[in-house]
Amino acid sequence: MTTSTSPETGALPAQEAPIDAADGHGKLFRDARNRLNKAIQYFPISPDVEEQLKYPKSSLAVSVVIRMDNGSRRAFKGFRVRYDDSRGPTKGGIRYHQSVNLDEVMALAFWMTFKCAVVGVPYGGAKGGICVDTKELSKTELERLSRTYIEQIADMIGPEVDIPAPDMYTNEMVMGWMADQYNRIKRGKYPGVITGKPLALGGSLGRTDATGRGGVNVLRRLEEHLQIIPEKTTVAVQGFGNVGYHCARLLHDAGYKIVAISNSEGGIYDPSGINPYPMKEWEQTHKEVLAGGPTLGGKHQVISNEDLLKLPVDVLVPAALENQITINNAHEIQARIILELANGPTTTGADVILEQKGITVIPDILANAGGVTVSYFEWTQNQTGYYWEVEEVNDRLQKIMEKAAVNVWQTMKEHKCDMRTAAYIEALKKLSEAIEAHGTRYYFNLP
Ligand code: GLU
């Protein structure tokens, strides 16, 4: 097979993760790092910075052994990876999913590093996870699992070192158990060790819908550039959990027409529109099955998650798992704009195809940074002991997200690159400054 680079962007043709295959790292992490390599082509950084960002700072793999309700013991694989802390304590969620593995957690920690830098929150990146299907556990088993995991990683985390938060299939109650377990181990009250906690335990107002809200802030700020008129814009949202639901709801409030949604049980499509509010109520009372739910047209088509991605809509919002848009289906995407609220929903191979098709991808490290931004606000409130009104949280979030969106847009124009590369360039600027503030090669070589 011959390979040539695109004259426009220097991008590799559509194939997945072609580099560094021999370094022992998994595909997802290699794919993640490819984005960095592409950004470096546009924005050369010093070899020292490149070296610093090459591997995770530290990775921990643990066995989380708990007693099940029936008296038996069961072991679950758990991970915590701190990628880079040049800009501050490391920060990132904890994911519970049956597909969690070290490669995925490394990639997610890498993305967190760049995400925090794009929006300028003073953190490095980390991530954690347990390989578990939470639907198979009782609530008491879930609590034991969460507390035991914290015992296993307690030496690695702390309010000034590494600060976990929720991610897929973990919620504020899980964060509450985890923070409580950390407090028991350390014999004190350290609310800043974990964010995304229940309000009563030091959580922040506005944290629950922050990721969806932040994504909507970005899209709305770029409406003019993207030639979007909300009332004439159709949207399909993949994932109807904490992120997808709030995004759909806020876009609906802003006048956008939500025509398709899906969750892990499947999806529905109604060109007449879907009101996310009653649909959420339906989902909660019908074992998560969306089919049969109230749509504005009265009837809808039942579709799969895969079908949803290919619908003729203006904006596609992947808000579920990674690796959804790949070289196998990117050709069939009809949306004009993709707002990535999931982490890593598009592979590097698919990026090339989407770019050739003229689709604007608002990348994950910008679009979904609202969650970690309000986590930062929560941590700030915990560290100072002074709690904010929700309006203050939402206003500050909007300012940060809009500023980052404009910066990335301008960088994209300046470097004539795609928006993802521009977001990495923005992040690299901040990471380089922090790393080089300790001295450069040039400084140390001066006589
Ligand atoms: N899990 C979320 C993310 O991927 C939030 C992380 C955080 O709040 O630290 O961005």
Side-chain angles (χ1 to χ4, degrees):
M1 192 172 75
T2 55
T3 54
S4 59
T5 52
S6 146
E8 186 69 10
T9 62
L12 287 163
Q15 56 181 8
E16 311 290 23
I19 62 134
D20 278 355
D23 65 5
H25 290 129
K27 185 178 173 313
L28 200 62
F29 177 60
R30 280 188 278 125
D31 206 37
R33 246 184 12 193
N34 273 334
R35 263 69 188 258
L36 176 58
N37 296 336
K38 184 173 175 196
I40 294 171
Q41 291 174 17
Y42 289 85
F43 182 75
I45 53 173
S46 97
D48 292 349
V49 174
E50 218 176 314
E51 209 59 23
Q52 171 76 30
L53 296 173
K54 214 167 189 173
Y55 309 120
K57 184 180 171 70
S58 53
S59 309
L60 182 65
V62 294
S63 175
V64 189
V65 183
I66 60 162
R67 191 172 299 286
M68 305 298 279
D69 291 345
N70 67 5
S72 65
R73 271 179 201 274
R74 203 167 146 195
F76 298 87
K77 279 189 266 179
F79 308 95
R80 184 75 189 168
V81 173
R82 300 180 66 212
Y83 199 87
D84 181 74
D85 65 351
S86 304
R87 300 186 58 259
T90 50
K91 184 90 192 77
I94 293 168
R95 172 173 294 199
Y96 286 177
H97 195 266
Q98 55 274 29
S99 70
V100 164
N101 58 64
L102 184 59
D103 173 45
E104 180 189 53
V105 178
M106 271 165 60
L108 288 160
F110 175 93
W111 287 321
M112 283 308 301
T113 307
F114 287 82
K115 188 188 299 188
C116 291
V118 172
V119 285
V121 297
Y123 292 134
K127 203 80 178 193
I130 301 180
C131 179
V132 58
D133 181 355
T134 52
K135 289 177 189 157
E136 287 177 1
L137 297 192
S138 70
K139 289 183 176 133
T140 48
E141 287 165 345
L142 196 65
E143 179 177 1
R144 285 197 288 276
L145 183 77
S146 307
R147 290 185 181 275
T148 310
Y149 172 71
I150 287 301
E151 275 167 23
Q152 304 283 69
I153 67 164
D155 291 337
M156 194 167 180
I157 63 174
E160 271 111 26
V161 189
D162 177 33
I163 307 146
D167 197 76
M168 281 176 54
Y169 293 102
T170 52
N171 56 21
E172 50 176 49
M173 187 174 282
V174 172
M175 296 304 114
W177 292 329
M178 289 183 169
D180 181 58
Q181 193 61 30
Y182 184 83
N183 289 341
R184 286 187 195 180
I185 294 165
K186 299 288 172 187
R187 295 189 177 276
K189 292 287 182 197
Y190 301 94
V193 66
I194 281 173
T195 59
K197 300 178 294 297
L199 270 184
L201 300 177
S204 174
L205 291 166
R207 177 64 185 83
T208 310
D209 66 9
T211 308
R213 184 179 291 277
V216 172
N217 289 154
V218 169
L219 187 69
R220 300 227 58 193
R221 181 63 186 82
L222 299 177
E223 274 170 1
E224 213 181 301
H225 294 304
L226 295 167
Q227 291 165 346
I228 288 178
I229 299 164
E231 289 69 25
K232 293 188 178 157
T233 304
T234 54
V235 184
V237 184
Q238 186 197 47
F240 204 49
N242 192 33
V243 178
Y245 166 63
H246 288 294
C247 170
R249 168 179 85 74
L250 293 164
L251 285 178
H252 171 83
D253 290 350
Y256 286 75
K257 192 175 185 185
I258 312 298
V259 294
I261 53 171
S262 66
N263 62 18
S264 59
E265 303 296 318
I268 51 171
Y269 172 50
D270 185 343
S272 312
I274 297 168
N275 181 339
Y277 292 89
M279 192 52 76
K280 190 70 189 170
E281 277 174 36
W282 170 277
E283 187 200 39
Q284 281 165 352
T285 49
H286 289 79
K287 296 195 169 126
E288 295 185 23
V289 176
L290 296 166
T295 63
L296 298 173
K299 21 181 213 213
H300 55 250
Q301 226 175 296
V302 175
I303 54 169
S304 68
N305 267 294
E306 177 70 19
D307 299 334
L308 181 137
L309 301 171
K310 303 172 193 165
L311 289 173
V313 292
D314 300 303
V315 181
L316 173 63
V317 185
L321 275 169
E322 57 261 3
N323 280 347
Q324 295 301 297
I325 305 172
T326 68
I327 53 171
N328 299 324
N329 62 5
H331 293 285
E332 295 170 88
I333 305 283
Q334 299 189 60
R336 189 163 69 76
I337 297 157
I338 298 178
L339 180 69
E340 292 187 334
L341 290 193
N343 286 308
T346 312
T347 62
T348 45
D351 268 349
V352 179
I353 299 168
L354 298 176
E355 201 180 339
Q356 281 160 359
K357 286 172 67 105
I359 297 172
T360 304
V361 180
I362 307 178
D364 49 3
I365 59 167
L366 168 67
N368 73 27
V372 74
T373 302
V374 176
S375 274
Y376 164 51
F377 298 161
E378 179 175 334
W379 176 84
T380 304
Q381 294 169 74
N382 294 151
Q383 299 296 82
T384 57
Y386 178 76
Y387 288 82
W388 310 352
E389 300 291 338
V390 71
E391 291 76 19
E392 184 165 3
V393 172
N394 290 345
D395 284 356
R396 286 184 190 244
L397 171 66
Q398 186 174 350
K399 272 197 196 106
I400 288 182
M401 297 307 295
E402 290 190 349
K403 187 174 165 202
V406 170
N407 286 345
V408 169
W409 189 267
Q410 283 169 352
T411 299
M412 177 184 82
K413 292 284 165 203
E414 189 188 324
H415 290 272
K416 297 190 174 51
C417 60
D418 59 285
M419 219 173 156
R420 189 188 311 284
T421 304
Y424 274 88
I425 293 173
E426 275 303 299
L428 273 177
K429 284 182 196 166
K430 301 208 182 85
L431 282 157
S432 297
E433 274 171 26
I435 294 164
E436 292 186 345
H438 294 287
T440 59
R441 277 175 188 219
Y442 174 71
Y443 169 81
F444 284 105
N445 281 328
L446 279 181

